[in-house]
């Protein structure tokens, strides 16, 4: 992409969470910001907790990135959040509510540091990558808009409703605030940020549906997660004639590992299937007890936490990723499995349901607990008859990732968003689709 000055756009990429050594949102922030360096002149602004990891990754502070120290506000409020969430890995909605109080101070400091440069025209685009949550506004959106610089927001993702059959899991996750989550739409500044954004990138169809109608014409759907071939570069080569399955994720109620064990128990007992569970969390003890009560410990291995860089080594020994999560926003692990040629078996809901097609994996309808267990059990039984028959589906899954979900592709899509915002500033084009930009779903089956 070239700007009117015949050079790549100068982008101030704001990613409060951006860390190459972590997973989930920080890895998304880091991966997208890094991929954008191939299509733009990017200066990353992040929170100071990410500084050391970014330095270890080889970036130069001051030249490639700036670390903002907002700890005076962040540290005590995060400590409060950890108490209010009532358990490690629980109370996600509570955590986001506290983050909504913390984040404005971070952006205040960003504006203090970079506001003069933005006003002076040092950047062509300001892009806030993280937080991903649509509940967290951007206080500087109006300021950037006022000085005539395009402001890009997103990818925004989150807020997927809890399935109606899983209220017990909702309560076990301490998701009390989720019952009134929609109140965020009335918070001060929410519509202001959307109004003053030149483009809004949404990471899921649900999130797109929550954007007010007045701003839909500047939304672009680009799924949140992507794959870095440098991180996931193995090819799955399961051996033997026994179906090998793997689960990767936190051991918390909504991830559904207990449903997975129930669905696989008879095949594990008979030796027709093995299951590796990678992850840790508050349910570990209960899951071990469940496996013992069902008599399926022999075919089941709990690996607890392993380094993210080692996950692909274990995962690539599997035929399938068995992942019955019932409320997954992005589903990064699903893409990671597909990139290795591991076939996903997922619940057809939210993030994973948008990533997997019937040609590249297996989708179980999001029904009741018993219905999901039965659906997974039926698929496991069928696949256990001939695991080698999965090879064509595995190839399709990998090809789908290579075509649609590499970070380099997402960077090119974001580049198109930048191009549109810059053209619109110059020519006042009426809507984002008139500029030739299309949501990924227009080309992604």
């Amino acid at each position: 992409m070239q700007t009117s000055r015949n050079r790549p756009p100068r982008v101030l990429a704001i990613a409060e969470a951006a860390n190459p050594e972590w997973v989930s949102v920080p890895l998304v922030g880091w991966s997208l910001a890094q991929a954008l360096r191939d299509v733009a002149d990017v200066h990353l602004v992040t929170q100071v907790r990410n500084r050391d990891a970014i330095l270890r990754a080889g970036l130069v502070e001051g030249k490639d990135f700036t670390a903002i120290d907002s700890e005076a506000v962040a540290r005590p409020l995060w400590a409060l959040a950890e108490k209010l969430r009532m358990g490690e890995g629980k109370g996600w909605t509570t955590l986001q509510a506290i983050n909504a109080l913390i984040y404005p101070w971070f952006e205040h400091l960003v504006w203090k540091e970079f506001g003069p440069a933005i006003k002076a025209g040092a950047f062509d685009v300001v892009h806030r990558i993280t937080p991903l949550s649509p509940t967290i506004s951007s206080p500087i959106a109006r300021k950037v808009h006022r000085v005539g610089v395009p402001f890009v927001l997103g990818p925004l993702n989150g807020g997927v409703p809890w399935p109606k059959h899983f209220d017990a899991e909702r309560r076990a996750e301490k998701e009390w605030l989720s019952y009134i989550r929609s109140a965020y739409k009335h918070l001060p500044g929410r519509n202001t940020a959307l109004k003053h954004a030149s483009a809004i990138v949404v990471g899921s169809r649900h999130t797109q549906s929550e954007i007010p109608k007045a701003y839909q014409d500047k939304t672009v759907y680009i799924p949140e997660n992507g794959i870095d071939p440098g991180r996931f570069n193995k090819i799955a080569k399961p051996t033997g004639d026994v179906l090998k399955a793997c689960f990767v994720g936190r051991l918390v109620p909504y991830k559904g590992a207990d449903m997975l064990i129930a669905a696989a128990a008879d095949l594990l007992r008979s030796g027709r299937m093995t299951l590796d569970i990678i992850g840790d969390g508050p349910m570990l003890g209960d899951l071990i007890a469940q496996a013992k009560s069902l008599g399926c410990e022999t075919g089941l291995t709990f690996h607890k936490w392993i380094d993210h860089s080692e996950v692909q080594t274990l995962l690539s020994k599997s035929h399938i990723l068995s992942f019955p999560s019932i409320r997954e926003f992005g589903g990064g692990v699903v893409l990671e499995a597909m990139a290795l040629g591991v076939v996903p078996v997922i619940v057809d809901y939210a993030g994973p349901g948008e990533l997997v097609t019937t040609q590249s994996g297996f989708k179980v309808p999001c029904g009741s607990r018993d219905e999901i267990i039965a659906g997974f059990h039926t698929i496991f039984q069928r696949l256990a008859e001939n695991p080698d028959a999965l090879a064509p589906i595995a190839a399709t899954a990998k090809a789908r990732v290579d075509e649609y979900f590499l970070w380099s592709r997402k960077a090119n899509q974001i580049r198109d968003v930048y191009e549109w915002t810059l053209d619109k500033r110059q020519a006042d084009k009426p809507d984002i689709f008139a500029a030739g930009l299309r949501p990924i779903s227009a080309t992604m089956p």
Side-chain angles (χ1 to χ4, degrees):
M1 171 185 163
Q2 301 293 310
T3 67
S4 59
R5 298 179 183 179
N6 198 35
R7 53 165 172 74
R10 300 163 302 173
V11 178
L12 185 68
I14 302 172
E16 191 266 354
N19 195 304
E21 298 176 1
W22 296 348
V23 295
S24 191
V25 175
L27 185 57
V28 170
W30 165 259
S31 299
L32 182 53
Q34 281 299 95
L36 287 170
R37 293 185 186 279
D38 290 334
V39 299
D41 180 4
V42 172
H43 187 86
L44 171 66
V45 186
T46 190
Q47 212 270 352
V48 71
R49 65 179 174 275
N50 305 307
R51 178 179 180 272
D52 291 345
I54 292 175
L55 288 171
R56 285 191 289 269
L59 269 62
V60 178
E61 190 168 11
K63 175 180 176 290
D64 301 317
F65 80 100
T66 297
I68 299 292
D69 188 350
S70 57
E71 287 295 282
V73 170
R75 187 181 293 110
L77 285 177
W78 277 121
L80 174 62
E82 288 300 324
K83 293 179 180 179
L84 292 177
R85 69 191 303 191
M86 294 180 285
E88 177 66 28
K90 297 182 179 181
W92 179 254
T93 308
T94 300
L95 197 65
Q96 290 305 305
I98 297 296
N99 198 21
L101 300 177
I102 297 171
Y103 184 74
W105 178 247
F106 172 78
E107 276 205 8
H108 166 78
L109 296 177
V110 171
W111 184 256
K112 184 177 180 181
E113 178 79 17
F114 288 96
I118 295 170
K119 292 177 182 177
F123 299 98
D124 300 304
V125 176
V126 175
H127 179 185
R128 196 197 83 172
I129 298 173
T130 68
L132 303 181
S133 173
T135 65
I136 299 176
S137 188
S138 180
I140 70 171
R142 181 190 301 202
K143 296 176 181 179
V144 175
H145 174 79
R146 281 179 174 173
V147 299
V149 176
F151 182 83
V152 176
L153 189 61
L156 300 180
N157 197 12
V160 176
W162 278 86
K164 63 180 180 179
H165 298 290
F166 289 89
D167 197 58
E169 285 74 10
R170 185 182 196 176
R171 294 174 181 273
E173 292 279 357
K174 310 299 183 184
E175 283 289 284
W176 315 117
L177 284 181
S178 67
Y179 292 97
I180 57 170
R181 178 188 174 276
S182 61
Y184 88 90
K185 298 177 183 179
H186 307 289
L187 292 175
R190 191 249 180 172
N191 281 346
T192 299
L194 298 177
K195 175 182 177 181
H196 291 106
S198 300
I200 305 165
V201 180
V202 291
S204 71
R205 286 302 188 193
H206 175 78
T207 301
Q208 187 173 39
S209 73
E210 288 198 333
I211 301 296
K213 183 177 180 180
Y215 312 122
Q216 284 286 336
D217 64 348
K218 54 184 178 182
T219 63
V220 185
Y221 169 45
I222 302 176
E224 166 196 328
N225 279 285
I227 289 296
D228 176 0
R231 283 176 177 261
F232 286 84
N233 48 24
K234 293 182 180 292
I235 300 296
K237 295 181 179 179
T239 58
D241 56 1
V242 173
L243 179 66
K244 293 180 172 60
C246 190
F247 169 95
V248 182
R250 291 184 298 120
L251 303 183
V252 293
Y254 82 86
K255 295 284 186 177
D258 55 329
M259 293 190 290
L260 172 58
I261 293 172
D266 66 336
L267 286 97
L268 295 173
R269 285 194 300 267
S270 65
R272 298 167 61 205
M273 176 179 172
T274 64
L275 174 60
D276 290 299
I277 293 184
I278 301 173
D280 205 341
M283 289 185 68
L284 177 61
D286 291 339
L287 295 174
I288 292 173
Q290 179 190 11
K292 184 175 181 180
S293 69
L294 293 172
C296 60
E297 313 102 299
T298 302
L300 175 57
T301 303
F302 291 95
H303 295 271
K304 298 186 179 180
W305 283 122
I306 62 176
D307 189 86
H308 189 239
S309 63
E310 299 175 10
V311 169
Q312 67 165 330
T313 301
L314 266 176
L315 192 52
S316 62
K317 297 178 181 179
S318 304
H319 294 97
I320 60 174
L321 172 75
S322 44
F323 194 63
S325 178
I326 50 91
R327 190 173 179 260
E328 202 73 21
F329 299 153
V333 68
V334 176
L335 289 183
E336 292 170 356
M338 292 168 67
L340 301 175
V342 177
V343 176
V345 183
I346 55 102
V347 173
D348 189 9
Y349 187 66
E354 294 183 6
L355 303 178
V356 178
T357 65
T358 53
Q359 293 75 40
S360 60
F362 298 88
K363 308 204 289 188
V364 174
C366 189
S368 68
R369 178 184 176 83
D370 288 343
E371 289 169 338
I372 291 174
I373 292 172
F376 270 76
H377 181 256
T378 298
I379 292 171
F380 293 160
Q381 282 190 314
R382 177 154 47 101
L383 297 181
E385 295 298 323
N386 184 14
D388 289 342
L390 283 163
I393 303 174
T396 300
K398 178 168 173 41
R400 180 170 171 79
V401 169
D402 291 343
E403 183 172 2
Y404 297 114
F405 294 107
L406 298 183
W407 282 115
S408 57
R409 174 176 171 82
K410 292 180 183 294
N412 285 326
Q413 292 174 314
I414 298 294
R415 175 203 63 194
D416 290 341
V417 174
Y418 295 160
E419 186 174 59
W420 177 78
T421 63
L422 292 168
D423 287 346
K424 186 175 185 295
R425 181 178 62 174
Q426 297 165 8
D428 195 28
K429 292 184 178 180
D431 65 73
I432 201 162
F433 303 119
L437 187 64
R438 292 292 183 270
I440 191 174
S441 60
T443 56
M444 186 185 73

